[in-house]
Each structure stands twice: as structure tokens, then as C-alpha cells.
Amino acid sequence: MDYIFDTHAHYDDEKFDPDRAEVLASLQENGIRKAVDVGAGIPSSKRAQSLAAAYDFLYCALGVHPTEVGDLNDETRAWLRTQAAGDPKCVAIGEIGLDYYWEDTPHEDQKREFLWQMDLARELGKPIIIHSREAARDTYDLMKEARAGEIGGVLHCYSYTREMAREFLEMDFYFGIGGVITFKNSVKLKEAAQYIPLDRIVLETDCPYLAPVPFRGKRNSSLYLPYVVETLAQVRGISEEEVLRATWENAHRLYRLPDPLCNEDGFMLK
Ligand code: NI
């Protein structure tokens, strides 16, 4: 497996403080050719930006997670706009969205900032990375309101039903699939992963969280993505090679990056 694209990682997380440089070096030696470090608030967006500046194979997404929207004020909004527009390694606005699992952040605040960040992405011409937990209907409604289909992006760590997937597909979104699909009880996700067209699926870790079986509960990293590839191939009845090839191409289309393995029309050269 020599060309894996991790579309959603948090290598800026403090859990990588003890050995970040070693982990990042081992990724490059083990076929993880590209990864996007996703900001979850203003401080982590700044860290994601520094990592992407320091490592050729890393990109960043800048944005404020629904439970961190308290980070947003006039000053940080201006910062986000300037940096997302000017940083050549910034490939998306994210992660943004709605999270009704945690009860600390009022839904109205989450909705307002989700809409504001979708508008920012539209203004800058960047795709969005959506975090949505226990908020399927509101997420869908706000995406419609913001005409997210024209903005484009990915539903990260997709956790809803295949019926819901059909609705998001109408907006031409991608679906991030990671370690959860290897969990024994992930029946609903396996059904969705069978249903979603292969050209809409991208690989992600959300590391340090959500390590796949047999590492469930441990610190996750992109090195465990082959377990996700294996499960996806089983679920869809296709080869691991097909999963790798498709998810690699999809990730480049999602983040609008030139694919070194493809010609300009997006067709695979090898
Ligand atoms: Ni995340």
C-alpha cells in the first residue's frame, strides 16, 4: 500500500507531543503520502498551519469545531479569513458543523457559526469539512440554506444512515470513513459504506481518536489506515487495491489538489 491519503488527522493534538516528529517520519516511510491536519479551534488551527508549513506531505484545514465556537470574535474571524485565503497549504475550512452530543454549547451559537464558516468557505472558494454528531436533520437543513452543494466538501466520520447518505449525496458531498467501520457493532455504517458510491468515499483517521480494531481505544495514527481499507474492501466486495486507488483520487478531487498519479482530467496514469 504505497499511496494513502489521510483526509482528516489531528497531529497537532497534545497526545502527539512526546513523539510527533518520529510519528510523522514513520508515516512518510510507510506509504502515507499525504494527510490533512484539521483545525478544531483557533489555537489548533494555528498549530495545524505550522505543521503544514514544516512538512511537504502535510496540508491543513482551518476552522472552528461546533463545541469551540466560543473562540470566534471579530479578531479571530479576521484572522481566519486572512490565513485561509493566504496560506498555500490550507485546503479547506474545517472542521465546522453541529454537535448535539455535548451539551455545553447552545445550538443557536453552533448554527450561527456553522453558517458563518460556510459563507467564508464560499467566499474563499474552499471546500468544507463537516463535523456532525446527533444533528443529522439540522446539519442537512443548514447545508441547504447555505447552498453547500455549490461549496463542496466532506462529511467527516460519517455516522448516519444510508437514507441520510442519499440526501447528502444529492449535494455531491464526500464521506469520510475511518476506524469506526472496523468496530463489530458498526452495522449502520457498514450499510452506508456499501451504499455510498465508491467515488464519494475518502479515508480518514481523526487521529489520535477512533483507532480501528485491533487497536481500538489506543492512540490512532494514519499507519492504521490499512485496517480501514481492508474492512471497506470486504464490505463492498472489491479489492483493497480498488479501495486505495479510488480513495486516493477522491481525496485529491475533494481538496482540489493536483494528483501526481493522474493526468489533468483526473484519470489514473498507472
Ligand atoms: Ni476531527
Side-chain angles (χ1 to χ4, degrees), residues 2 7 11 26 34-35 45 62 70 79 92 96 100 102-103 105 128 132 139 183 198 246 252 255 269:
D2 61 351
T7 61
Y11 286 111
S26 72
K34 290 179 185 171
S45 290
L62 308 179
W79 179 86
I96 63 175
Y100 294 171
W102 305 102
E103 282 167 6
T105 315
I128 50 180
S132 177
T139 301
F183 298 175
L198 188 58
H252 286 83
Y255 290 133
L269 295 177

Side-chain angles (χ1 to χ4, degrees), residues 11-270:
Y11 286 111
D12 63 282
D13 191 279
E14 61 181 16
K15 293 203 174 65
F16 291 107
D17 283 353
D19 59 350
R20 182 171 294 106
E22 288 91 320
V23 173
L24 291 172
S26 72
L27 300 191
Q28 293 172 277
E29 289 157 13
N30 287 283
I32 311 302
R33 291 239 211 136
K34 290 179 185 171
V36 176
D37 199 276
V38 180
I42 296 297
S44 91
S45 290
K46 288 182 179 170
R47 293 195 300 269
Q49 219 178 3
S50 313
L51 281 176
Y55 291 86
D56 272 356
F57 83 109
L58 285 184
Y59 297 83
C60 64
L62 308 179
V64 178
H65 186 281
T67 62
E68 305 297 323
V69 292
D71 276 4
L72 284 169
N73 54 48
D74 289 351
E75 196 186 326
T76 53
R77 283 175 211 278
W79 179 86
L80 197 53
R81 175 179 277 113
T82 309
Q83 296 304 317
D87 185 336
K89 297 297 287 286
C90 172
V91 293
I93 299 297
E95 53 188 291
I96 63 175
L98 301 175
D99 192 322
Y100 294 171
Y101 177 78
W102 305 102
E103 282 167 6
D104 315 357
T105 315
H107 295 181
E108 288 314 309
D109 295 354
Q110 296 189 27
K111 289 179 180 173
R112 186 183 64 243
E113 305 306 352
F114 183 26
L115 282 170
W116 183 79
Q117 292 184 96
M118 282 196 279
D119 285 346
L120 177 66
R122 169 187 296 282
E123 179 191 321
L124 302 179
K126 305 253 185 204
I128 50 180
I129 299 172
I130 296 185
H131 169 105
S132 177
R133 192 170 184 194
E134 297 188 7
R137 184 48 55 188
D138 280 5
T139 301
Y140 178 82
D141 289 345
L142 290 191
M143 285 169 72
K144 274 278 181 209
E145 187 179 330
R147 289 178 287 127
E150 298 168 10
I151 300 169
V154 59
L155 290 144
H156 127 73
C157 194
Y158 186 71
S159 62
Y160 300 131
T161 59
R162 57 176 268 175
E163 288 72 28
M164 211 54 229
R166 204 177 82 198
E167 303 202 44
F168 291 120
L169 275 169
E170 281 167 17
M171 284 190 266
D172 234 4
F173 262 64
Y174 290 86
F175 296 77
I177 293 186
V180 176
I181 197 169
T182 68
F183 298 175
K184 229 179 170 172
N185 56 0
S186 69
V187 179
K188 194 176 71 171
L189 177 59
K190 289 195 180 85
E191 275 172 17
Q194 244 170 357
Y195 168 77
I196 297 165
L198 188 58
D199 68 0
R200 291 282 128 188
I201 293 177
V202 292
L203 298 175
E204 65 163 62
T205 52
D206 206 22
C207 65
Y209 310 104
L210 301 174
V213 173
F215 304 103
R216 190 172 179 177
K218 304 242 166 61
R219 186 181 75 173
N220 195 6
S221 90
S222 317
L223 294 176
Y224 297 158
L225 278 172
Y227 294 92
V228 175
V229 171
E230 189 187 358
T231 309
L232 258 174
Q234 280 166 6
V235 161
R236 298 188 64 100
I238 58 175
S239 69
E240 292 180 19
E241 184 63 30
E242 279 176 90
V243 172
L244 283 171
R245 187 177 276 241
T247 53
W248 171 265
E249 290 182 30
N250 300 344
H252 286 83
R253 247 186 289 117
L254 161 63
Y255 290 133
R256 300 159 197 173
L257 289 168
D259 180 347
L261 301 179
C262 289
N263 67 19
E264 282 171 2
D265 300 322
F267 293 108
M268 208 79 174
L269 295 177
K270 63 167 227 183

